[in-house]
């Protein structure tokens, strides 16, 4: 009979008792399953909702799979499991919990196989990151020992399981991405996230002449003591810049943590990520100068709308316009720099291009460019001269 044994601590709370322990990732993959929430339409009168988990987000799993192979991978919070009492045996003298298969002698009492011992109430994406496409442990992962701490409830009814799942997920507050990038400033390892943070801080604080001076919410919320409205978040700034620096920022970070050097980009790679070699060569200040020159030329071309952060409907200082400008920067930078990718393009070179637009300050409105990704896309089409504002409105 298949079984897994691990040391635990018994915890007693108002909800009842549960156990806390650690278990190797491979063993956890072997004994767990997720009861995915779905709709059963067989009963046409009443839709029956079954299961308590959310569908697996494959993109999220891939991100976690990359993360667990990095040298600093860590999951401090516990994975929450629910186990049928017939599959669990606790030894109070040794503080050992045994989870085992169940073989029934009766037809009305179903067997429980190894892979159905523990239902996942929270942590399905973390467990899935250790799996291959067949749902088994992925032995191709570049990791050695990886234990996960678990919280095990025994004998919970389905309503109790659902209540725990809902409580965990409704009570959680997502970490502000801007705060995460700000914490990269404390990192001793050079990586694209840290560079994005450094450039953001430089343009936001270093010089009052900066076109982005005091416009970036460093922590994602209004900075204490500032009178300006700060229309951009650090997350929007950094994530826009990362696209010009790296095809895979997290992979770059992992490479740096392993003490390995990044390979300099060739011309084809630079056409996709033009600041790649500047980042690899440690020239963050030159990236900042290029951005300074770029946005300064925009500020001087449309000073009224750029500096008007208070008029409702003026979009030029806002994130949608910023993201469109950052998308367009790659296009314009490559056009000006030619094959000399990596050189500092001057403000006058950028300004020469923007002088060719006949758009007026008062046309940068939410009426012409709707909020959301659609408005950003429209703005980008105007910048690339695929469309005029009149054509967008037609």
């Amino acid at each position: 009979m298949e079984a897994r044994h691990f040391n635990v601590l018994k915890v007693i709370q108002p909800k009842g008792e549960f156990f806390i322990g650690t278990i190797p990732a491979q063993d956890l993959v072997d004994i767990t399953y997720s009861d995915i929430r779905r709709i059963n339409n067989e009963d046409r009168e009443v839709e029956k909702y079954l299961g308590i988990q959310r569908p697996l987000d494959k993109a999220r799993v891939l991100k976690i799979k990359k993360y667990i192979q990095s040298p600093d991978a860590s999951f401090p919070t516990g994975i929450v499991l629910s186990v049928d009492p017939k599959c669990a045996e606790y030894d109070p003298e040794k503080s050992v919990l045994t989870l085992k298969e169940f073989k029934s002698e009766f037809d009305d009492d179903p067997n429980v196989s190894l892979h159905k011992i523990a239902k996942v109430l929270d942590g399905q994406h973390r467990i899935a990151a250790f799996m291959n496409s067949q749902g088994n442990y992925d032995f191709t992962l570049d990791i050695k020992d990886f234990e996960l701490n678990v919280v095990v409830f025994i004998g919970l009814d389905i309503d109790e399981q659902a209540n725990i799942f809902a409580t965990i997920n409704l009570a959680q507050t997502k970490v502000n991405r801007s705060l995460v990038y700000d914490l990269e400033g404390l990192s001793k390892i050079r990586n694209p996230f840290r560079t994005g943070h450094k450039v953001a801080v430089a343009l936001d604080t270093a010089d009052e002449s900066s076109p982005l001076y005091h416009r970036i919410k460093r922590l994602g919320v209004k900075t204490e003591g500032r009178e300006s409205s700060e229309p951009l978040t650090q997350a929007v700034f950094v994530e826009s810049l990362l696209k010009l620096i790296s095809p895979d920022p997290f992979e770059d970070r992992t490479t740096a943590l392993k003490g390995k050097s990044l390979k300099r980009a060739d011309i084809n790679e630079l056409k996709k990520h033009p600041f790649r070699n500047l980042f690899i060569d440690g020239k963050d200040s030159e990236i900042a100068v290029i951005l300074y020159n770029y946005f300064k030329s925009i500020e001087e071309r449309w000073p009224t709308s750029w500096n008007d952060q208070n008029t409702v409907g003026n979009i030029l200082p806002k994130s949608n316009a910023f993201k469109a400008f950052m998308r367009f920067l790659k296009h314009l930078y490559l056009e000006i720099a030619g094959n000399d990718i990596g050189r500092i393009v001057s403000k006058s070179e950028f300004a020469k291009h923007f002088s060719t637009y006949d758009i007026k300050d008062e046309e940068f409105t939410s009426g012409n460019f709707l909020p959301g990704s659609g408005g950003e896309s429209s703005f980008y089409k105007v910048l690339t001269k695929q469309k005029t504002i009149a054509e967008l409105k037609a």
Side-chain angles (χ1 to χ4, degrees):
M1 181 180 293
E2 290 276 7
R4 297 293 185 271
H5 314 272
F6 57 105
N7 295 322
V8 294
L9 294 173
K10 183 177 180 180
V11 180
I12 299 176
Q13 292 183 358
K15 181 75 176 177
E17 65 180 37
F18 56 86
F19 301 92
I20 296 176
T22 61
I23 186 168
Q26 183 180 344
D27 286 347
L28 198 58
V29 167
D30 287 343
I31 66 171
T32 57
Y33 72 101
S34 295
D35 192 5
I36 304 301
R37 190 169 191 265
R38 62 205 183 277
I39 298 176
N40 181 349
N41 286 314
E42 291 179 4
D43 186 339
R44 296 182 180 226
E45 295 181 3
V46 181
E47 291 181 333
K48 295 179 180 179
Y49 287 81
L50 307 174
I52 59 169
Q53 280 280 15
R54 294 164 293 186
L56 205 64
D57 183 336
K58 294 181 180 179
R60 184 179 173 194
V61 171
L62 288 175
K63 288 181 180 179
I64 299 174
K65 190 179 285 284
K66 284 187 176 182
Y67 173 67
I68 61 178
Q69 298 178 84
S70 65
D72 64 343
S74 174
F75 293 135
T77 56
I79 289 171
V80 184
L81 308 174
S82 175
V83 177
D84 191 301
K86 61 192 178 188
C87 296
E89 185 178 303
Y90 174 59
D91 185 338
E93 293 185 2
K94 297 181 179 179
S95 295
V96 170
L97 181 66
T98 299
L99 302 181
K100 57 187 179 180
E101 292 183 327
F102 175 74
K103 301 294 185 182
S104 176
E105 299 178 0
F106 307 100
D107 293 338
D108 60 350
D109 193 6
N111 294 333
V112 180
S113 67
L114 175 69
H115 297 293
K116 289 284 186 176
I117 291 176
K119 181 190 291 186
V120 182
L121 302 186
D122 188 64
Q124 63 168 339
H125 288 87
R126 280 170 280 172
I127 297 174
F130 290 92
M131 295 179 176
N132 59 24
S133 58
Q134 286 75 45
N136 301 314
Y137 184 78
D138 187 352
F139 287 99
T140 67
L141 292 171
D142 184 21
I143 55 177
K144 294 182 180 179
D145 299 324
F146 206 125
E147 291 186 327
L148 296 163
N149 53 314
V150 294
V151 177
V152 182
F153 287 90
I154 297 175
L156 290 178
D157 293 335
I158 185 63
D159 60 329
E160 294 176 307
Q161 296 174 28
N163 179 263
I164 289 174
F165 172 80
T167 300
I168 290 171
N169 287 279
L170 289 176
Q172 285 180 345
T173 301
K174 290 186 71 174
V175 176
N176 189 302
R177 297 198 317 279
S178 292
L179 173 59
V180 173
Y181 294 134
D182 207 65
L183 292 173
E184 282 293 342
L186 303 176
S187 174
K188 296 179 181 179
I189 303 297
R190 179 168 176 74
N191 65 78
F193 304 109
R194 184 170 179 265
T195 290
H197 164 74
K198 287 176 62 180
V199 173
V201 171
L203 293 174
D204 180 64
T205 63
D207 188 343
E208 290 188 23
S209 69
S210 168
L212 297 175
Y213 183 73
H214 282 194
R215 287 179 177 241
I216 302 174
K217 297 184 184 80
R218 286 271 301 277
L219 304 181
V221 295
K222 185 171 175 56
T223 305
E224 187 175 350
R226 289 188 179 179
E227 296 181 0
S228 61
S229 63
E230 298 176 308
L232 307 174
T233 65
Q234 181 169 195
V236 165
F237 181 96
V238 172
E239 288 165 9
S240 297
L241 179 56
L242 289 177
K243 296 172 184 176
L244 302 175
I245 290 175
S246 173
D248 191 336
F250 191 83
E251 183 63 29
D252 287 345
R253 183 177 182 274
T254 299
T255 299
L257 285 167
K258 292 180 178 179
K260 299 179 180 178
S261 299
L262 295 172
K263 180 183 177 182
R264 297 186 88 251
D266 60 24
I267 189 69
N268 292 321
E269 293 172 298
L270 288 175
K271 287 180 179 179
K272 298 176 182 178
H273 311 284
F275 299 163
R276 180 70 174 161
N277 285 342
L278 289 175
F279 160 70
I280 291 173
D281 294 341
K283 297 180 178 179
D284 295 351
S285 60
E286 295 189 17
I287 295 175
V289 170
I290 294 171
L291 290 178
Y292 179 100
N293 290 342
Y294 179 65
F295 283 103
K296 195 67 177 178
S297 69
I298 294 168
E299 177 188 22
E300 293 181 356
R301 175 63 183 85
W302 296 287
T304 301
S305 51
W306 181 263
N307 292 303
D308 182 5
Q309 299 183 38
N310 299 316
T311 298
V312 176
N314 175 38
I315 70 160
L316 205 62
K318 305 297 176 61
S319 60
N320 255 16
F322 177 82
K323 288 188 284 188
F325 276 129
M326 288 296 284
R327 286 176 61 191
F328 182 62
L329 174 56
K330 179 173 79 169
H331 170 87
L332 183 56
Y333 178 83
L334 291 173
E335 179 182 307
I336 296 173
N339 289 327
D340 192 10
I341 302 175
R343 79 171 177 89
I344 295 177
V345 171
S346 68
K347 182 184 72 174
S348 61
E349 289 176 291
F350 285 128
K352 183 179 179 180
H353 174 83
F354 287 118
S355 68
T356 64
Y357 293 89
D358 59 3
I359 308 170
K360 299 176 182 178
D361 281 81
E362 58 268 24
E363 292 182 293
F364 293 109
T365 67
S366 55
N368 290 329
F369 303 98
L370 298 175
S373 58
E376 177 193 336
S377 177
S378 296
F379 200 105
Y380 180 76
K381 288 178 181 177
V382 170
L383 290 174
T384 54
K385 299 185 178 180
Q386 299 176 58
K387 296 276 188 179
T388 65
I389 292 178
E391 288 172 336
L392 291 174
K393 296 175 70 174

